[in-house]
Amino acid sequence: MKSIVSAVLVLILVILGSSSLFVVKETERAVLLQFGELVRADIEPGLHFKLPYVNTVRKFDGRVLTVDATPRRFLTLEQKAVLVDSYAMWRITDVERFYTATSGDEARARSLLSQRINDGLRNKFGERDLQEVVSGERDALMMELTDELNTYSGEEYGIAVIDVRVKRIDLPDDVRSSVYERMTSERQREAQQLRSRGNELAIGIQADADRQEAVLLAEANRDAERIRGDGDAQAASIYAEAFTKDEEFYSFTRSLNSYQRSFSSKGDILLLEPDSDYFRYLQNEQGQGQ
């Protein structure tokens, strides 16, 4: 009988001892409740004691968590509809505030955060046009939204929002065609600007080339005229010098050159008086031959 009582007492002590101890892991956050009321918040990792049946422990994941917001339809600044699918990364920073705001329900925390993300995206998309939210300012928009959500969720839910990202932006069929047309017109406008700039540069280059050509031709003609003038002067000087040395020989040479040019073709006919001075050297030559 005593052995049975001892065994029962030992069993009771083991049950009480096991229910009095609890362990908080490094990846967990925990709060201690007494009859449902919060008596200790943010219990550090390690082994801890509690009163059996009086205290209860609620544990939460302390790692970075992800919430996928429900895809929603938003309107941009020019009233263009877009379908946005987004997500956020978050973690618990204030366990007491988190438990008070959500009753320790992570699903409720995800739902609240998802709603805040969609509200923030609706406001941000409504302040920007389609081009800005699709490409130009998406990163800046996400950073701005993350900062705002982080401030709000930290004060309201004890949650730190680490990052908010848009996974996908879809355009409805009625918007997609207008966007493509706008993109096409913008590309055509850019192409026309590039063509105009290229034509302007081409005209400038052609004008500069024409100017350089005119300058080079003018300089070449100037140099040619100067060289020709120098040559004519030198030739005149040589002729004058030769003429002063032997006037008869000079006259004879000029006549021979004239004969050669005049009688270069057999079909040429020249009518002159026989005793013309032009045939003076031919007559003398014939006389000497006779």
Side-chain angles (χ1 to χ4, degrees):
M1 186 66 179
K2 292 182 179 180
S3 60
I4 296 175
V5 172
S6 299
V8 172
L9 291 175
V10 170
L11 180 62
I12 294 173
L13 291 175
V14 170
I15 294 174
L16 292 175
S18 61
S19 59
S20 299
L21 299 174
F22 68 94
V23 177
V24 179
K25 299 179 181 179
E26 291 288 344
T27 58
E28 295 177 333
R29 312 295 294 273
V31 295
L32 184 65
L33 306 176
Q34 183 172 321
F35 299 114
E37 294 184 3
L38 182 65
V39 294
R40 185 179 175 187
D42 202 8
I43 302 175
E44 297 179 354
L47 181 64
H48 302 276
F49 296 92
K50 65 182 179 70
L51 296 176
Y53 308 106
V54 175
N55 299 127
T56 56
V57 178
R58 292 289 304 275
K59 299 178 182 179
F60 314 104
D61 197 336
R63 296 170 294 184
V64 176
L65 304 176
T66 301
V67 55
D68 287 320
T70 304
R72 294 293 179 88
R73 184 185 180 100
F74 302 133
L75 295 177
T76 61
L77 182 62
E78 68 269 48
Q79 299 301 307
K80 298 291 186 180
V82 290
L83 298 176
V84 182
D85 188 7
S86 62
Y87 74 95
M89 293 185 293
W90 61 282
R91 63 183 178 87
I92 302 172
T93 55
D94 189 334
V95 183
E96 182 178 1
R97 192 180 300 275
F98 175 78
Y99 180 79
T100 303
T102 64
S103 299
D105 188 352
E106 291 185 5
R108 175 174 171 77
R110 290 190 179 92
S111 177
L112 292 172
L113 187 57
S114 176
Q115 182 63 40
R116 292 299 305 179
I117 292 172
N118 285 327
D119 291 343
L121 288 173
R122 181 179 296 106
N123 295 333
K124 298 302 179 185
F125 275 52
E127 297 171 354
R128 294 167 172 82
D129 59 29
L130 186 60
Q131 180 67 24
E132 292 172 339
V133 299
V134 170
S135 59
E137 297 186 4
R138 183 189 294 188
D139 292 339
L141 185 152
M142 293 297 102
M143 292 177 62
E144 185 177 340
L145 179 59
T146 300
D147 293 339
E148 293 180 2
L149 287 176
N150 192 29
T151 301
Y152 177 83
S153 61
E155 296 175 353
E156 294 293 326
Y157 310 133
I159 292 174
V161 178
I162 299 174
D163 194 14
V164 178
R165 291 292 168 183
V166 172
K167 293 190 293 185
R168 185 173 179 177
I169 298 179
D170 289 331
L171 301 175
D173 294 337
D174 57 339
V175 177
R176 187 178 293 112
S177 59
S178 63
V179 171
Y180 288 160
E181 291 175 359
R182 178 181 175 183
M183 293 175 64
T184 301
S185 62
E186 288 181 353
R187 295 298 178 269
Q188 290 176 349
R189 178 178 55 83
E190 293 177 359
Q192 183 61 36
Q193 290 178 348
L194 292 174
R195 291 193 195 96
S196 299
R197 189 179 305 170
N199 292 332
E200 182 180 355
L201 292 174
I203 292 173
I205 294 172
Q206 184 64 41
D208 184 65
D210 293 341
R211 181 186 60 81
Q212 294 184 21
E213 179 186 11
V215 171
L216 291 174
L217 289 176
E219 292 177 350
N221 291 330
R222 181 198 61 195
D223 294 340
E225 291 297 330
R226 186 178 63 248
I227 294 172
R228 187 178 294 110
D230 293 341
D232 291 341
Q234 292 180 13
S237 177
I238 294 173
Y239 291 152
E241 183 179 357
F243 182 75
T244 55
K245 288 183 177 180
D246 192 343
E247 295 181 6
E248 183 65 22
F249 179 76
Y250 178 74
S251 178
F252 175 71
T253 304
R254 290 185 62 188
S255 297
L256 290 180
N257 292 332
S258 177
Y259 297 156
Q260 184 177 7
R261 289 192 299 269
S262 298
F263 306 131
S264 60
S265 176
K266 294 181 179 180
D268 293 339
I269 299 175
L270 185 63
L271 299 176
L272 291 174
E273 294 291 339
D275 56 349
S276 173
D277 188 62
Y278 183 73
F279 294 110
R280 178 167 60 91
Y281 288 105
L282 289 178
Q283 294 173 355
N284 293 337
E285 190 71 25
Q286 290 175 355
Q288 292 175 2
Q290 290 177 353

